[in-house]
Each structure stands twice: as structure tokens, then as C-alpha cells.
Amino acid sequence: MAYASRIINHSKKLKDVSTLLRREHAATVRNFSNTNRAPLNREDTFSTRLGYSPLERISKCSTSTVSLLLLSVSVFFSTARTNLNSAMGRPIFGKGFSCLMQSARGYSSASDLPPHQEIGMPSLSPTMTEGNIARWLKKEGDKVAPGEVLCEVETDKATVEMECMEEGYLAKIVKAEGSKEIQVGEVIAITVEDEEDIGKFKDYTPSPTADAAPTKAEPTPAPPKEEKVEQPSSPPEPKASKPSAPPTGERVFASPLARKLAEDNNVPLSNIKGTGPEGRIVKADIDEYLASSGKGATAKPSKSTDSKVPALDYVDIPHSQIRKVTASRLAFSKQTIPHYYLTVDTCVDKLMGLRSQLNSFQEASGGKRISINDLVVKAAALALRKVPQCNSSWTDDYIRQFKNVNINVAVQTENGLYVPVVKDADKKGLSTIGQEVRLLAQKAKENSLKPEDYEGGTFTVSNLGGPFGIKQFCAVVNPPQAAILAVGSAEKRVVPGNGPDQFNFASYMPVTLSCDHRVVDGAIGAEWLKSFKGYIENPESMLL
């Protein structure tokens, strides 16, 4: 009975919940401001809003009732925070919260700036860490709507259109057209809800710069301490290091080249402090000593004679994003992947005969012609289905073997090397493969490939034979794939005939398979080449 009376007595306090929620709303809004007003502590908050002290609250509230009240306050905080930050249609956290979205709503401490949205550089591919602004399709002051293209972003692999996610007005373009090496998440533009607020952001600085100030202010006290310690010690070090000599009884360690250079210039090694491994004196130490002591005059005439050579005429070409990613990925491949290479010659007489027949059918039906490269892609896909070990990639914990056969085709453009992908090439016909390869190659040359056009490949084909006449070459494995096929040019050769004095002519096309030895053993690579050669020399089997 006493328990029931306590519940009834406390139910009267629940009538004040609406007042409590309104006060919590005001407190939440104050927490978003940058004023110096100190927040209320927990005891003051509950004593002010519930009308009694914490001890009275504990004595008068049952466990279930307190849980209900705290649940209501928690729900309010979640609702109030969402309403506060979702004025443009979706929750966007403010400065006090961490968020993975590329756009964030800003609340400036300045009274003349209304709420705004900061649009950051998006991550448009799995490997993208920075991007360039290729072109702005909207100007400052333009109205934007969801789905409209704001700008074109040059990623590490292609140029991609960046669409607007919310309705508003483009108040300020932070990163102008042509800006390069913009980090993912860095603010590139600002939008507002009302058109009359556009002029207020003419000289606005994005919030990340303001957020960077406290982060820089934190380590600032530490460097002065380090500088104070280094300043008294640093001046005597260079003065004492050059004249200082090690004890005469100790052995002086120096490289043979340094010893010879010291003997030629009559420099005692005991006067030089070595900077090599374990204090060893190297050639650079001798050169520095000679330069500081003025004994390097004998070497200057040789430099003067070299200065008579006329300067080279050159042009510095800045790196494009695709050039940077190609350089880093291929350098990573050669440094970390144990390559080995297998080469085989394939007779392509029957392949060319079949191609001629198929092209006659294509021309009669108004279709596009089929190329040798289309047949190579189809044969490689079927060989991967027969030898799936080559359709794999290496990880530290396992070898991932793919069930999809997606063939990347290397395409050279003015901007760099692209490798668009033909997905499920083993299930597609030659006409479909040819159409997709031509479309992807055209998009690569126009620099309009989308991420889905080049991601997800499991094997790569690089053909330098047909377009350039290269006889044979070894390609670099495209990570994380385990193999790449290099196709050379076909040439006629004299081959023995049936009789002792008979001979024939045949066309042979050399192909080289580059393999990752961690994934594909030599015998497996040879088995794949045997299967590929069978499809090339008997192309009718690809139609089965």
C-alpha cells in the first residue's frame, strides 16, 4: 500500500515533464552557442527542473519511474538534436558531433551569419584520397535542387559528376575551378536555404579552418619547451662537432672512398665526425669538411668546366590524377608482388578465318565488326572459367577466388592509362563484348568513365600488338589481381610441312602471362595458357 501511494504521489511530479522538456530544449540550444556561460551541473539541473534535490528525488521516485523519466529525457535529446540539425530535410550533425557525411550544417558564432551547409569533397572511389575540381556547372547565387550536378570532380581514376543532395542556393564556391589536390572531406562550397542570405557569405571562411585553430593551439605549448631545450644545445653542436676529435687511442671507422679522399686532400680523419652508420665517416663528411675549411678549391675548376655545357631545354608537365594513381599502383605491384612470366605462341589462322565469317554476318545485319581483341577477351574469360585459380587475388589471410569473370581491358588515352572492365565476359557473346569495349574505350578517351566502369575486375588484358605492332612484352600485374595477359602482334612464319622438303606459312601471335607467384604457381599458369591457346587455335570451341 505504501508503495502504491509513493507511485501516486510521484505521478503528480510527472505533470511537470512538459515544462522540463521545454527547459531541456533551451539548455540544448545554449550548448550549441559559443558563449562563455557555464553549463549547469547535474544537481542544479534536476533541482531546478524537478523542484527537489537529488536526495529527495531518490527517496520519492521508484526505480521504474526514474527509468521512465530518464527514457523520456533521452528521447527528447534525440528528437531535439535531430530537429535542430535537419532543417533542410535530413539529419546533418553540427560542429560538436562527428559524422561521415561530406556535407555538414554549420552554426557560426557570428550573429550576422544564418545556418548554412558546408559541402565537402566526396570520396567517389575506394582508393580516392584527394581530388581536383575540373569544372563548376553552377555559379554562386544559382538555385540547386537534389539530383542536379554541381561540379565535375577529377578523381584518381576518372572525372565524375558530383550531384547536389539538398535544395538551396549556392552561396559561395570555396574551391575554384581548376583547384587541385583537395583532400576528401575538405569544404569546396557552401549552400544556404534562403536567397537573401547569399551575400552574407561573400568573405566567409569555412568551419574546418576554425576547427583547425584549436587543434593547432594544443600542440603549441609543447614546441616552445622543445625549442627552449634545443636552442641552447644547438649552437654549440655545429661548432663543437667540427673541431672535436675522438680519443686518439680509438679506431676511426671510415669508408674506403672517404679514406682515399681524405688522403688526397691531407685531411686527418680524427678531425671529422662521421654521420654514417654507427658513426662511420663517409664521403659526404669529407666533402663537407673540405667545403667548410676552404680546401675544396681544387674541385672547383672541374665544376667550372662543366658549367660551359649548354643548359637543357625542357617543359615540366604536371601530374594528372590518373598518372599519380598509375605510378603508385604499378610501383607497389613491382615492389610487393613476385612476378614471373610465361610466353607461348598461338597460331591464329583459324581465328582470323572465323573472324572474317562473323564480320560478313555482322555487316549483312548492320552490326559492328568484331576485332581480334574481342576474340582474345572471350578466350581469356573462358580459360579463367576452366582454370579458376588464375581468377583470384591475394590477401594476408586467404586467397580470394572469384566466381565472376570480369576482364579489364587496357586503354591508352592522352590523360593516361585506363582499364575499364567488361563484366561477366565469359557469359557474353562476341558482338556484346565488342560493343562494350568500344563504348568503354570512347568514354575513357573522353575522361567520362564512372566508378562502375572500371571497378570489380578480376583479370586484365593488355594488347600492344594490334594497335602498335609490338612483337612481345611483359605487363605488370594490376593489383589486387593475380595475373595479366600481354598480347603481341601476329606475324607470318615458315613452318615445316608434312614431307621432308615441304614447308608452309602460318600466322603466330605471341602472348605472355604475368603471374603473382603467391597466388598462381608455375604449373597453374602453364595450364591456363594451354587452355587459352586451345581456344585461340580452335575458335569454334568458344561458340559451344
Side-chain angles (χ1 to χ4, degrees):
M1 194 68 180
Y3 178 75
S5 63
R6 284 200 304 271
I7 295 177
I8 295 173
N9 188 17
H10 181 67
S11 64
K12 299 177 181 179
K13 295 289 184 180
L14 293 180
K15 296 179 180 180
D16 298 331
V17 169
S18 60
T19 303
L20 169 64
L21 296 182
R22 287 194 298 271
R23 293 176 179 176
E24 290 287 357
H25 176 73
T28 305
V29 173
R30 284 198 302 272
N31 286 337
F32 275 96
S33 66
N34 294 329
T35 58
N36 295 325
R37 180 175 180 178
L40 297 175
N41 56 36
R42 184 176 298 179
E43 296 181 1
D44 294 339
T45 300
F46 277 97
S47 63
T48 301
R49 294 164 189 163
L50 294 179
Y52 46 78
S53 64
L55 293 176
E56 294 174 347
R57 175 172 57 84
I58 294 174
S59 62
K60 292 185 179 182
C61 297
S62 63
T63 304
S64 60
T65 308
V66 171
S67 300
L68 176 61
L69 179 60
L70 293 179
L71 178 61
S72 302
V73 175
S74 175
V75 170
F76 166 75
F77 273 122
S78 176
T79 305
R81 183 172 58 188
T82 303
N83 293 336
L84 182 61
N85 292 294
S86 60
M88 293 186 73
R90 64 173 182 175
I92 301 175
F93 295 102
K95 188 183 299 183
F97 299 92
S98 61
C99 182
L100 297 179
M101 295 183 182
Q102 299 301 329
S103 57
R105 184 64 50 81
Y107 290 89
S108 175
S109 59
S111 59
D112 58 338
L113 292 181
H116 56 279
Q117 184 181 11
E118 297 174 345
I119 301 177
M121 171 63 71
S123 178
L124 301 174
S125 70
T127 59
M128 177 179 174
T129 58
E130 60 183 24
N132 304 335
I133 301 295
R135 182 165 63 107
W136 279 99
L137 301 180
K138 294 288 184 179
K139 299 179 296 184
E140 292 184 356
D142 289 352
K143 185 176 182 179
V144 294
E148 293 184 351
V149 179
L150 279 178
C151 62
E152 292 181 353
V153 177
E154 182 183 353
T155 69
D156 54 350
K157 295 181 179 179
T159 300
V160 184
E161 295 179 345
M162 176 181 172
E163 296 181 354
C164 183
M165 302 298 296
E166 300 180 9
E167 186 176 357
Y169 293 88
L170 184 58
K172 185 177 179 62
I173 296 178
V174 179
K175 298 296 181 180
E177 187 171 304
S179 300
K180 297 183 179 296
E181 298 181 356
I182 304 173
Q183 298 296 321
V184 170
E186 189 174 350
V187 178
I188 62 174
I190 296 172
T191 60
V192 294
E193 299 176 9
D194 300 326
E195 186 176 3
E196 55 269 16
D197 296 334
I198 296 176
K200 300 178 180 180
F201 291 87
K202 182 178 180 181
D203 301 325
Y204 176 72
T205 302
S207 59
T209 58
D211 294 339
T215 58
K216 293 180 180 178
E218 292 178 1
T220 47
K225 296 180 181 178
E226 295 178 358
E227 290 175 359
K228 292 179 181 178
V229 176
E230 292 177 356
Q231 285 176 356
S233 60
S234 59
E237 282 183 359
K239 296 179 181 178
S241 60
K242 293 181 180 179
S244 64
T248 55
E250 296 183 1
R251 178 182 175 185
V252 178
F253 293 93
S255 65
L257 181 59
R259 288 184 180 275
K260 184 178 185 307
L261 187 61
E263 292 176 0
D264 294 342
N265 293 273
N266 297 323
V267 176
L269 294 177
S270 58
N271 293 342
I272 300 175
K273 183 178 180 180
T275 60
E278 299 181 356
R280 180 185 297 271
I281 298 174
V282 295
K283 179 179 179 296
D285 300 328
I286 305 296
D287 293 338
E288 182 180 359
Y289 180 85
L290 293 175
S292 61
S293 61
K295 293 184 178 181
T298 57
K300 291 181 180 179
S302 62
K303 294 183 179 179
S304 62
T305 56
D306 295 338
S307 62
K308 296 179 181 179
V309 179
L312 297 177
D313 188 12
Y314 59 88
V315 176
D316 292 331
I317 302 175
H319 298 309
S320 62
Q321 289 296 109
I322 185 63
R323 179 62 58 189
K324 290 181 181 178
V325 71
T326 301
S328 62
R329 287 172 63 85
L330 295 186
F332 171 81
S333 175
K334 292 296 289 185
Q335 292 171 0
T336 61
I337 295 179
H339 286 61
Y340 73 91
Y341 310 96
L342 301 173
T343 303
V344 68
D345 291 332
T346 60
C347 182
V348 294
D349 288 334
K350 293 183 179 179
L351 186 73
M352 290 182 176
L354 178 62
R355 173 175 173 262
S356 299
Q357 296 179 11
L358 294 176
N359 283 335
S360 62
F361 295 147
Q362 288 289 99
E363 292 174 358
S365 60
K368 298 291 185 180
R369 294 176 61 86
I370 295 174
S371 66
I372 294 293
N373 195 62
D374 300 334
L375 293 163
V376 169
V377 171
K378 180 66 175 180
L382 294 177
L384 287 172
R385 192 168 65 182
K386 184 176 290 188
V387 187
Q389 294 91 331
C390 293
N391 196 41
S392 307
S393 66
W394 171 267
T395 66
D396 293 335
D397 300 323
Y398 48 82
I399 294 176
R400 174 169 294 172
Q401 190 173 114
F402 300 101
K403 296 182 179 180
N404 301 90
V405 180
N406 301 335
I407 305 295
N408 288 100
V409 180
V411 178
Q412 181 65 39
T413 68
E414 295 180 355
N415 298 321
L417 181 65
Y418 292 88
V419 280
V421 60
V422 179
K423 297 183 179 179
D424 296 323
D426 59 323
K427 303 176 183 178
K428 294 179 179 178
L430 293 171
S431 178
T432 304
I433 291 175
Q435 291 177 1
E436 290 190 12
V437 170
R438 282 189 293 271
L439 178 61
L440 292 171
Q442 183 64 28
K443 294 174 69 175
K445 294 177 181 178
E446 296 174 354
N447 200 19
S448 60
L449 287 173
K450 296 183 178 180
E452 57 267 20
D453 294 331
Y454 52 77
E455 293 178 355
T458 60
F459 187 89
T460 301
V461 172
S462 179
N463 188 350
L464 294 179
F468 305 101
I470 301 301
K471 182 178 179 180
Q472 188 265 338
F473 69 102
C474 299
V476 181
V477 174
N478 182 21
Q481 299 172 10
I484 181 173
L485 183 68
V487 182
S489 62
E491 61 178 4
K492 283 189 175 295
R493 301 179 186 175
V494 179
V495 295
N498 296 329
D501 298 330
Q502 295 180 352
F503 60 89
N504 297 318
F505 292 95
S507 297
Y508 283 88
M509 180 180 68
V511 293
T512 300
L513 181 68
S514 305
C515 301
D516 181 353
H517 213 320
R518 300 173 300 177
V519 182
V520 181
D521 294 331
I524 300 298
E527 183 181 354
W528 185 91
L529 271 181
K530 180 181 178 181
S531 177
F532 174 80
K533 181 178 180 180
Y535 285 119
I536 293 296
E537 295 185 346
N538 298 283
E540 296 85 358
S541 59
M542 291 190 288
L543 306 178
L544 299 178

mmCIF file of all heavy atoms in Angstrom, residues 211-240:
data_model
loop_
_atom_site.group_PDB
_atom_site.id
_atom_site.type_symbol
_atom_site.label_atom_id
_atom_site.label_comp_id
_atom_site.label_asym_id
_atom_site.label_seq_id
_atom_site.Cartn_x
_atom_site.Cartn_y
_atom_site.Cartn_z
ATOM 1 N N ASP A 211 37.950 25.043 -36.987
ATOM 2 C CA ASP A 211 38.180 23.873 -36.145
ATOM 3 C C ASP A 211 39.652 23.528 -36.063
ATOM 4 O O ASP A 211 40.107 22.912 -35.117
ATOM 5 C CB ASP A 211 37.414 22.662 -36.724
ATOM 6 C CG ASP A 211 35.913 22.875 -36.649
ATOM 7 O OD1 ASP A 211 35.511 23.711 -35.829
ATOM 8 O OD2 ASP A 211 35.174 22.225 -37.405
ATOM 9 N N ALA A 212 40.395 23.914 -37.109
ATOM 10 C CA ALA A 212 41.826 23.587 -37.089
ATOM 11 C C ALA A 212 42.589 24.447 -36.100
ATOM 12 O O ALA A 212 43.660 24.092 -35.658
ATOM 13 C CB ALA A 212 42.423 23.752 -38.482
ATOM 14 N N ALA A 213 42.003 25.613 -35.739
ATOM 15 C CA ALA A 213 42.711 26.511 -34.831
ATOM 16 C C ALA A 213 42.942 25.896 -33.468
ATOM 17 O O ALA A 213 44.053 25.878 -32.977
ATOM 18 C CB ALA A 213 41.951 27.828 -34.730
ATOM 19 N N PRO A 214 41.900 25.303 -32.814
ATOM 20 C CA PRO A 214 42.174 24.710 -31.510
ATOM 21 C C PRO A 214 43.101 23.520 -31.577
ATOM 22 O O PRO A 214 43.856 23.258 -30.677
ATOM 23 C CB PRO A 214 40.789 24.308 -31.008
ATOM 24 C CG PRO A 214 39.921 24.288 -32.214
ATOM 25 C CD PRO A 214 40.497 25.273 -33.154
ATOM 26 N N THR A 215 43.036 22.764 -32.690
ATOM 27 C CA THR A 215 43.926 21.614 -32.782
ATOM 28 C C THR A 215 45.368 22.056 -32.872
ATOM 29 O O THR A 215 46.258 21.398 -32.378
ATOM 30 C CB THR A 215 43.557 20.769 -34.005
ATOM 31 O OG1 THR A 215 43.641 21.610 -35.162
ATOM 32 C CG2 THR A 215 42.146 20.227 -33.878
ATOM 33 N N LYS A 216 45.589 23.205 -33.550
ATOM 34 C CA LYS A 216 46.949 23.710 -33.624
ATOM 35 C C LYS A 216 47.366 24.367 -32.311
ATOM 36 O O LYS A 216 48.519 24.434 -31.982
ATOM 37 C CB LYS A 216 47.069 24.727 -34.767
ATOM 38 C CG LYS A 216 46.903 24.095 -36.139
ATOM 39 C CD LYS A 216 47.038 25.147 -37.220
ATOM 40 C CE LYS A 216 46.864 24.523 -38.597
ATOM 41 N NZ LYS A 216 46.946 25.519 -39.670
ATOM 42 N N ALA A 217 46.362 24.875 -31.575
ATOM 43 C CA ALA A 217 46.697 25.558 -30.330
ATOM 44 C C ALA A 217 47.124 24.574 -29.256
ATOM 45 O O ALA A 217 47.818 24.918 -28.329
ATOM 46 C CB ALA A 217 45.504 26.381 -29.853
ATOM 47 N N GLU A 218 46.658 23.304 -29.360
ATOM 48 C CA GLU A 218 47.009 22.324 -28.346
ATOM 49 C C GLU A 218 48.489 21.962 -28.366
ATOM 50 O O GLU A 218 49.132 21.953 -27.336
ATOM 51 C CB GLU A 218 46.142 21.076 -28.519
ATOM 52 C CG GLU A 218 44.684 21.336 -28.206
ATOM 53 C CD GLU A 218 43.840 20.101 -28.441
ATOM 54 O OE1 GLU A 218 44.421 19.063 -28.832
ATOM 55 O OE2 GLU A 218 42.626 20.173 -28.218
ATOM 56 N N PRO A 219 49.069 21.666 -29.536
ATOM 57 C CA PRO A 219 50.491 21.319 -29.515
ATOM 58 C C PRO A 219 51.419 22.504 -29.397
ATOM 59 O O PRO A 219 52.603 22.322 -29.244
ATOM 60 C CB PRO A 219 50.696 20.624 -30.863
ATOM 61 C CG PRO A 219 49.637 21.190 -31.734
ATOM 62 C CD PRO A 219 48.487 21.508 -30.837
ATOM 63 N N THR A 220 50.878 23.759 -29.491
ATOM 64 C CA THR A 220 51.763 24.918 -29.439
ATOM 65 C C THR A 220 52.535 25.030 -28.141
ATOM 66 O O THR A 220 53.687 25.440 -28.157
ATOM 67 C CB THR A 220 50.970 26.214 -29.688
ATOM 68 O OG1 THR A 220 49.791 26.200 -28.883
ATOM 69 C CG2 THR A 220 50.601 26.337 -31.151
ATOM 70 N N PRO A 221 51.939 24.666 -26.946
ATOM 71 C CA PRO A 221 52.764 24.779 -25.755
ATOM 72 C C PRO A 221 53.936 23.812 -25.749
ATOM 73 O O PRO A 221 54.954 24.076 -25.147
ATOM 74 C CB PRO A 221 51.798 24.482 -24.611
ATOM 75 C CG PRO A 221 50.632 23.837 -25.244
ATOM 76 C CD PRO A 221 50.565 24.353 -26.641
ATOM 77 N N ALA A 222 53.789 22.658 -26.421
ATOM 78 C CA ALA A 222 54.870 21.687 -26.401
ATOM 79 C C ALA A 222 56.089 22.135 -27.203
ATOM 80 O O ALA A 222 57.202 22.024 -26.728
ATOM 81 C CB ALA A 222 54.373 20.329 -26.897
ATOM 82 N N PRO A 223 55.901 22.646 -28.456
ATOM 83 C CA PRO A 223 57.096 23.049 -29.200
ATOM 84 C C PRO A 223 57.950 24.095 -28.521
ATOM 85 O O PRO A 223 59.167 24.012 -28.588
ATOM 86 C CB PRO A 223 56.524 23.575 -30.520
ATOM 87 C CG PRO A 223 55.226 22.867 -30.659
ATOM 88 C CD PRO A 223 54.733 22.677 -29.266
ATOM 89 N N PRO A 224 57.362 25.122 -27.818
ATOM 90 C CA PRO A 224 58.250 26.076 -27.162
ATOM 91 C C PRO A 224 59.193 25.410 -26.183
ATOM 92 O O PRO A 224 60.342 25.769 -26.058
ATOM 93 C CB PRO A 224 57.302 27.046 -26.464
ATOM 94 C CG PRO A 224 56.027 26.927 -27.223
ATOM 95 C CD PRO A 224 55.992 25.522 -27.721
ATOM 96 N N LYS A 225 58.644 24.376 -25.452
ATOM 97 C CA LYS A 225 59.509 23.691 -24.488
ATOM 98 C C LYS A 225 60.653 22.999 -25.209
ATOM 99 O O LYS A 225 61.776 23.006 -24.779
ATOM 100 C CB LYS A 225 58.689 22.687 -23.678
ATOM 101 C CG LYS A 225 57.619 23.354 -22.815
ATOM 102 C CD LYS A 225 56.851 22.311 -22.043
ATOM 103 C CE LYS A 225 55.756 22.956 -21.190
ATOM 104 N NZ LYS A 225 54.974 21.954 -20.459
ATOM 105 N N GLU A 226 60.305 22.355 -26.353
ATOM 106 C CA GLU A 226 61.358 21.668 -27.093
ATOM 107 C C GLU A 226 62.346 22.662 -27.685
ATOM 108 O O GLU A 226 63.533 22.414 -27.713
ATOM 109 C CB GLU A 226 60.729 20.822 -28.203
ATOM 110 C CG GLU A 226 59.860 19.703 -27.652
ATOM 111 C CD GLU A 226 59.213 18.908 -28.770
ATOM 112 O OE1 GLU A 226 59.443 19.277 -29.944
ATOM 113 O OE2 GLU A 226 58.507 17.950 -28.463
ATOM 114 N N GLU A 227 61.817 23.825 -28.131
ATOM 115 C CA GLU A 227 62.709 24.814 -28.721
ATOM 116 C C GLU A 227 63.650 25.394 -27.662
ATOM 117 O O GLU A 227 64.803 25.656 -27.931
ATOM 118 C CB GLU A 227 61.888 25.934 -29.368
ATOM 119 C CG GLU A 227 61.149 25.470 -30.623
ATOM 120 C CD GLU A 227 60.262 26.544 -31.182
ATOM 121 O OE1 GLU A 227 60.223 27.629 -30.554
ATOM 122 O OE2 GLU A 227 59.618 26.317 -32.210
ATOM 123 N N LYS A 228 63.114 25.571 -26.452
ATOM 124 C CA LYS A 228 63.960 26.113 -25.399
ATOM 125 C C LYS A 228 65.086 25.150 -25.065
ATOM 126 O O LYS A 228 66.181 25.549 -24.717
ATOM 127 C CB LYS A 228 63.124 26.401 -24.153
ATOM 128 C CG LYS A 228 62.138 27.559 -24.351
ATOM 129 C CD LYS A 228 61.321 27.774 -23.099
ATOM 130 C CE LYS A 228 60.298 28.907 -23.281
ATOM 131 N NZ LYS A 228 59.469 29.096 -22.086
ATOM 132 N N VAL A 229 64.795 23.859 -25.164
ATOM 133 C CA VAL A 229 65.836 22.890 -24.861
ATOM 134 C C VAL A 229 66.837 22.818 -26.008
ATOM 135 O O VAL A 229 68.022 22.679 -25.804
ATOM 136 C CB VAL A 229 65.200 21.499 -24.626
ATOM 137 C CG1 VAL A 229 66.288 20.464 -24.408
ATOM 138 C CG2 VAL A 229 64.276 21.574 -23.428
ATOM 139 N N GLU A 230 66.308 22.928 -27.252
ATOM 140 C CA GLU A 230 67.207 22.784 -28.393
ATOM 141 C C GLU A 230 68.052 24.033 -28.631
ATOM 142 O O GLU A 230 69.156 23.951 -29.086
ATOM 143 C CB GLU A 230 66.384 22.472 -29.648
ATOM 144 C CG GLU A 230 65.733 21.109 -29.589
ATOM 145 C CD GLU A 230 64.873 20.868 -30.801
ATOM 146 O OE1 GLU A 230 64.748 21.805 -31.607
ATOM 147 O OE2 GLU A 230 64.339 19.760 -30.934
ATOM 148 N N GLN A 231 67.489 25.229 -28.325
ATOM 149 C CA GLN A 231 68.199 26.459 -28.639
ATOM 150 C C GLN A 231 69.547 26.572 -27.933
ATOM 151 O O GLN A 231 70.540 26.892 -28.575
ATOM 152 C CB GLN A 231 67.324 27.673 -28.301
ATOM 153 C CG GLN A 231 66.211 27.875 -29.324
ATOM 154 C CD GLN A 231 65.299 29.002 -28.939
ATOM 155 O OE1 GLN A 231 65.464 29.583 -27.848
ATOM 156 N NE2 GLN A 231 64.343 29.316 -29.777
ATOM 157 N N PRO A 232 69.640 26.265 -26.635
ATOM 158 C CA PRO A 232 70.954 26.368 -26.024
ATOM 159 C C PRO A 232 71.908 25.277 -26.476
ATOM 160 O O PRO A 232 73.101 25.464 -26.492
ATOM 161 C CB PRO A 232 70.664 26.249 -24.524
ATOM 162 C CG PRO A 232 69.350 25.566 -24.457
ATOM 163 C CD PRO A 232 68.593 25.988 -25.671
ATOM 164 N N SER A 233 71.344 24.101 -26.836
ATOM 165 C CA SER A 233 72.222 22.996 -27.195
ATOM 166 C C SER A 233 72.620 23.027 -28.655
ATOM 167 O O SER A 233 73.662 22.526 -29.027
ATOM 168 C CB SER A 233 71.543 21.653 -26.881
ATOM 169 O OG SER A 233 70.345 21.548 -27.610
ATOM 170 N N SER A 234 71.732 23.595 -29.542
ATOM 171 C CA SER A 234 72.022 23.560 -30.962
ATOM 172 C C SER A 234 73.199 24.431 -31.372
ATOM 173 O O SER A 234 73.966 24.025 -32.227
ATOM 174 C CB SER A 234 70.758 23.945 -31.760
ATOM 175 O OG SER A 234 70.333 25.235 -31.379
ATOM 176 N N PRO A 235 73.391 25.661 -30.823
ATOM 177 C CA PRO A 235 74.539 26.457 -31.282
ATOM 178 C C PRO A 235 75.884 25.806 -31.026
ATOM 179 O O PRO A 235 76.712 25.779 -31.903
ATOM 180 C CB PRO A 235 74.389 27.779 -30.524
ATOM 181 C CG PRO A 235 72.941 27.839 -30.162
ATOM 182 C CD PRO A 235 72.521 26.434 -29.954
ATOM 183 N N PRO A 236 76.122 25.218 -29.814
ATOM 184 C CA PRO A 236 77.451 24.652 -29.622
ATOM 185 C C PRO A 236 77.707 23.395 -30.423
ATOM 186 O O PRO A 236 78.833 23.033 -30.655
ATOM 187 C CB PRO A 236 77.503 24.348 -28.122
ATOM 188 C CG PRO A 236 76.087 24.224 -27.723
ATOM 189 C CD PRO A 236 75.325 25.157 -28.600
ATOM 190 N N GLU A 237 76.613 22.680 -30.853
ATOM 191 C CA GLU A 237 76.829 21.411 -31.535
ATOM 192 C C GLU A 237 77.595 21.583 -32.842
ATOM 193 O O GLU A 237 78.598 20.902 -33.040
ATOM 194 C CB GLU A 237 75.492 20.707 -31.795
ATOM 195 C CG GLU A 237 74.959 20.046 -30.540
ATOM 196 C CD GLU A 237 73.697 19.296 -30.830
ATOM 197 O OE1 GLU A 237 73.257 19.315 -32.006
ATOM 198 O OE2 GLU A 237 73.161 18.701 -29.896
ATOM 199 N N PRO A 238 77.164 22.473 -33.783
ATOM 200 C CA PRO A 238 77.948 22.575 -35.007
ATOM 201 C C PRO A 238 79.359 23.087 -34.772
ATOM 202 O O PRO A 238 80.282 22.709 -35.462
ATOM 203 C CB PRO A 238 77.141 23.553 -35.861
ATOM 204 C CG PRO A 238 76.256 24.276 -34.898
ATOM 205 C CD PRO A 238 76.002 23.337 -33.795
ATOM 206 N N LYS A 239 79.514 23.978 -33.764
ATOM 207 C CA LYS A 239 80.856 24.498 -33.503
ATOM 208 C C LYS A 239 81.748 23.437 -32.898
ATOM 209 O O LYS A 239 82.909 23.337 -33.210
ATOM 210 C CB LYS A 239 80.763 25.704 -32.559
ATOM 211 C CG LYS A 239 80.010 26.884 -33.182
ATOM 212 C CD LYS A 239 79.920 28.033 -32.215
ATOM 213 C CE LYS A 239 79.146 29.210 -32.794
ATOM 214 N NZ LYS A 239 79.021 30.321 -31.830
ATOM 215 N N ALA A 240 81.179 22.626 -32.009
ATOM 216 C CA ALA A 240 81.999 21.640 -31.330
ATOM 217 C C ALA A 240 82.186 20.383 -32.157
ATOM 218 O O ALA A 240 83.133 19.652 -31.978
ATOM 219 C CB ALA A 240 81.381 21.279 -29.979
#
